[in-house]
Amino acid sequence: MSMTTTAWIPSTKTFGARLALVRWRMGWNVKEAAVACGLNESNWRGWELDGRLPHKLNEVASKIAEASGASKYWLLDGEGNPSD
């Protein structure tokens, strides 16, 4: 059986996917991410795994950006560089 190796590029199309990428970059699990960002763990889990959006998306993105160094605007729309 032959296996072709290609680069895997994670999706940034959803807010939840971007949260997962932030967690991966920071080396956090869901609980650690929520605590570091001053957010509720069950909310984070719902945003990331269930595809829900925060009621106060701008505020949540600001907290995550501040704690992780990720770009707030990238968190909000997935456009541009994650660290700008």
Side-chain angles (χ1 to χ4, degrees):
M1 178 175 183
S2 167
M3 183 179 268
T4 303
T5 304
T6 59
W8 175 70
I9 302 171
S11 173
T12 59
K13 290 183 181 182
T14 67
F15 182 70
R18 293 187 292 276
L19 290 184
L21 289 170
V22 167
R23 279 196 316 104
W24 175 82
R25 173 68 174 90
M26 300 302 293
W28 292 333
N29 62 34
V30 171
K31 183 176 183 175
E32 292 167 333
V35 168
C37 297
L39 299 165
N40 179 283
E41 178 184 351
S42 64
N43 287 342
W44 186 294
R45 191 174 308 283
W47 302 328
E48 185 176 325
L49 301 177
D50 298 335
R52 291 185 281 135
L53 287 175
H55 293 290
K56 297 181 179 180
L57 180 58
N58 194 51
E59 182 180 315
V60 168
S62 292
K63 288 182 177 186
I64 296 167
E66 185 176 320
S68 69
S71 164
K72 173 184 168 181
Y73 301 104
W74 175 80
L75 284 165
L76 289 170
D77 65 17
E79 298 294 321
N81 188 331
S83 60
D84 282 344

